[in-house]
Amino acid sequence: MTSYQPPMSLFWWLRRRSYFFFAVRELSSVFVAWFVVYLLLLGHAVASGEAAYREFVEWSARPWLLGLNLVALVFVVFHAVTWFRLAPQAMVVRVGGRRAPPLWVAAGHYAAWVVVSALVVWVVLA
Amino acid sequence: MRTIALRVARYRPEDETEPTMQEYEVPLREDWAVLDGLNHIKDHLDGTLSYRWSCRMGICGSCGMTVNGEPKLTCGTFLTDYAPGPVTVEPLRNFPVVRDLVVDISDFMGKLPTVSPWIVDSEDAAPAEGEHLQTPEELDEYQQYSMCINCMLCYSACPVYGLDQDFLGPAAIALAQRYNLDSRDHGAHQRVDVLSAADGVWSCTFVGECTTACPKGVDPAGAIQRYKLTAATESVKSLLMPWGRRSDLPRPSGADQDNNAWSREVR
Ligand code: SF4
Ligand code: FES
């Protein structure tokens, strides 16, 4: 059977907001991967003694790296928000036999995020 | 009489290599859906126009098309909402076009049986005597997913499916959940491999357009995210307890595995 497969236009991802964010998520995962690499490098520097750690901190203060990490942070937060938007759909929490409103589930996740972040800040600063 | 212009995609593979647009003037009536406009063309203006439809009441799922860029059931999409027009009617996106507004649905048809969309009996328990009883709460668990009419609007809206046709897709996953969450079913175990494969739920990045497009309130995006949690929990469990049963999901019986072999053949 002959059939026509319409090509996807080059700018299909501009047709809808959700498509745009989809494309951004796909591309920005590179930055998330970078954050993981950066964290591993940090761990390695901490493990190899004070000198190595100081060198790492100095290297991290370079403007281009600071800029890169800032961009990466924005994308990681974007991915985190997507994740929290997804959570209430994935989790069906029952309270007294009824399905808890999705808003509660999302609120619970955000609260946990704040608590964990505060803990990390406390560990780092203390 | 007021009229409205329908710009309709035509594709006649015997004389053209690409679709072209053709414009028709049809009466603009309060109670006319886009499908009524197409029927008017077919009956009075141009009998060569091809498209699918049957029930005219949002039940059969065969009249899905792209109306002004959006995936819609044309029997439930009213012309007056697009006045003064023109209204562009194209075939569903993400599917090969066979002729005019008719798309090739064999990919979707091949995927459906791979999720064993039927109630699988328990291997251990004897068949229930008499009817299976179900409480309203148990019905509530899956009822939403059982409303799917296989119209494929969700596939048409999904960019992941558009880029990679191997993706199992929204409706097939929602259908799997319709049975997984049914208290009478014991087949979750035989659906797990297809659902948690790379082309299963994990291909979805939560764009959410499937749920927006769905005319029946099925919420396939929700079904997919829900199964992601199930799949993740299962794999963590089997990581922590590799010596235990591969999962708590009910085991399939021999007969059901035969069913699976059959569905693979269909694909
Ligand atoms: S899930 Fe909704 S949009 Fe998708 S095939 Fe079923 S009824 Fe249609
Ligand atoms: S004609 Fe049956 S759903 Fe539209």
Side-chain angles (χ1 to χ4, degrees):
Chain A
M1 183 168 59
T2 44
S3 61
Y4 175 76
Q5 180 80 55
M8 241 163 137
S9 82
L10 201 55
F11 296 106
W12 65 269
W13 48 277
L14 288 177
R15 262 206 339 251
R16 258 174 241 258
R17 238 168 81 94
S18 60
Y19 289 1
F20 175 74
F21 286 137
F22 162 73
V24 170
R25 269 198 301 273
E26 296 286 300
L27 297 175
S28 65
S29 44
V30 178
F31 289 93
V32 178
W34 158 248
F35 242 31
V36 173
V37 172
Y38 182 78
L39 219 66
L40 289 175
L41 288 176
L42 170 69
H44 178 74
V46 169
S48 7
E50 203 175 320
Y53 176 67
R54 280 196 194 290
E55 203 177 305
F56 181 81
V57 170
E58 241 165 65
W59 176 66
S60 303
R62 288 186 196 178
W64 68 267
L65 194 61
L66 221 60
L68 173 65
N69 276 346
L70 219 68
V71 173
L73 178 67
V74 170
F75 283 131
V76 168
V77 169
F78 173 58
H79 279 267
V81 169
T82 307
W83 178 256
F84 288 130
R85 224 163 50 78
L86 181 155
Q89 297 249 34
M91 294 176 82
V92 175
V93 182
R94 286 189 189 279
V95 182
R98 282 167 168 259
R99 190 172 171 172
L103 212 67
W104 293 11
V105 181
H109 275 81
Y110 276 105
W113 188 17
V114 169
V115 169
V116 171
S117 300
L119 239 136
V120 170
V121 169
W122 181 72
V123 166
V124 169
L125 293 185
Chain B
M1 185 174 45
R2 285 203 303 160
T3 62
I4 189 167
L6 284 190
R7 297 185 62 232
V8 183
R10 302 298 309 268
Y11 171 60
R12 287 143 295 202
E14 62 281 3
D15 10 87
E16 46 200 7
T17 53
E18 268 183 28
T20 49
M21 298 305 280
Q22 194 165 346
E23 199 161 311
Y24 304 93
E25 282 293 315
V26 301
L28 177 61
R29 298 212 177 116
E30 193 88 40
D31 54 350
W32 267 24
V34 173
L35 180 62
D36 295 302
L38 294 176
N39 284 341
H40 178 84
I41 297 172
K42 179 104 179 159
D43 292 345
H44 301 287
L45 307 175
D46 184 350
T48 66
L49 182 66
S50 299
Y51 51 97
R52 284 199 188 99
W53 66 285
S54 174
C55 70
R56 285 204 343 197
M57 52 190 290
I59 292 297
C60 72
S62 58
C63 69
M65 293 168 213
T66 308
V67 180
N68 276 10
E70 305 280 330
K72 292 279 183 195
L73 287 183
T74 48
C75 67
T77 306
F78 287 84
L79 286 172
T80 44
D81 291 337
Y82 295 90
V87 189
T88 308
V89 187
E90 294 162 286
L92 276 184
R93 296 213 167 106
N94 297 342
F95 293 97
V97 184
V98 177
R99 169 178 296 273
D100 297 342
L101 300 165
V102 179
V103 293
D104 180 0
I105 61 172
S106 42
D107 178 59
F108 178 61
M109 287 301 157
K111 277 170 180 161
L112 280 182
T114 66
V115 299
S116 310
W118 47 76
I119 286 181
V120 175
D121 263 337
S122 161
E123 186 182 8
D124 320 314
E129 277 189 33
E131 60 281 89
H132 287 280
L133 295 179
Q134 206 163 44
T135 64
E137 289 77 34
E138 284 169 336
L139 174 67
D140 216 36
E141 273 292 310
Y142 68 86
Q143 192 173 31
Q144 176 181 31
Y145 304 131
S146 73
M147 304 312 276
C148 175
I149 57 172
N150 295 345
C151 67
M152 302 179 299
L153 298 195
C154 49
Y155 284 76
S156 185
C158 175
V160 177
Y161 181 68
L163 293 170
D164 174 14
Q165 313 268 302
D166 287 334
F167 175 37
L168 185 56
I173 297 173
L175 188 63
Q177 282 293 69
R178 178 256 171 271
Y179 288 96
N180 279 344
L181 299 172
D182 189 322
S183 59
R184 298 164 296 180
D185 178 80
H186 299 269
H189 191 272
Q190 74 187 46
R191 299 184 191 103
V192 68
D193 287 339
V194 178
L195 289 175
S196 51
D199 288 328
V201 290
W202 301 113
S203 281
C204 164
T205 62
F206 198 37
V207 178
E209 283 296 321
C210 51
T211 292
T212 311
C214 178
K216 303 306 270 186
V218 172
D219 188 15
I224 298 174
Q225 310 324 313
R226 223 176 139 176
Y227 196 80
K228 280 182 186 169
L229 189 66
T230 308
T233 318
E234 281 303 313
S235 51
V236 167
K237 262 196 221 151
S238 64
L239 209 74
L240 294 179
M241 301 177 290
W243 57 86
R245 271 159 70 121
R246 201 179 126 222
S247 86
D248 289 343
L249 298 174
R251 305 235 126 209
S253 67
D256 303 321
Q257 276 168 340
D258 284 344
N259 277 342
N260 252 356
W262 168 78
S263 63
R264 265 193 298 278
E265 241 160 57
V266 169
R267 278 200 90 177

